[in-house]
Amino acid sequence: MAKYQQYAEYKDSGVEWLGEIPRDWMATELKRNCKVTDGSHHSPAIEVEGLPFISVTDVGVNKINFIDSKKISDQSFERLVKE
């Protein structure tokens, strides 16, 4: 028995290596939904609360762990997006 149930209908994703995706999904580039960089080149101070600071350890198969990701302040975020 499979761990996950299949979707009722699939469609071509338009991306050769990806193949088919569930009919109701939309394939889009990650950069359309967030800023992707090669790293901050410095480590911002980690906060108890704040904006998610996603690293490769937060990215899994079909998911991004925003809940347990490290958090940074608004000021640290502003500094990072200026780089």
Side-chain angles (χ1 to χ4, degrees):
M1 186 163 94
K3 184 176 180 179
Y4 301 103
Q5 292 185 0
Q6 286 190 331
Y7 285 83
E9 295 181 49
Y10 289 81
K11 66 179 180 182
D12 182 25
S13 67
V15 180
E16 185 178 341
W17 61 266
L18 186 56
E20 292 188 329
I21 59 175
R23 187 178 66 82
D24 296 331
W25 288 16
M26 180 179 68
T28 185
E29 296 173 331
L30 184 59
K31 68 182 182 180
R32 303 275 182 233
N33 298 293
C34 65
K35 182 175 177 150
V36 179
T37 67
D38 67 342
S40 65
H41 302 285
H42 75 277
S43 296
I46 302 304
E47 307 288 337
V48 174
E49 293 184 7
L51 299 168
F53 185 65
I54 304 300
S55 70
V56 69
T57 59
D58 301 311
V59 179
V61 177
N62 298 321
K63 70 175 186 167
I64 299 175
N65 186 349
F66 291 98
I67 303 299
D68 297 322
S69 66
K70 294 177 181 173
K71 307 293 188 268
I72 61 172
S73 68
D74 290 343
Q75 294 83 6
S76 290
F77 173 78
E78 290 299 323
R79 190 172 61 238
L80 288 172
V81 297
K82 287 182 182 178
E83 293 182 355

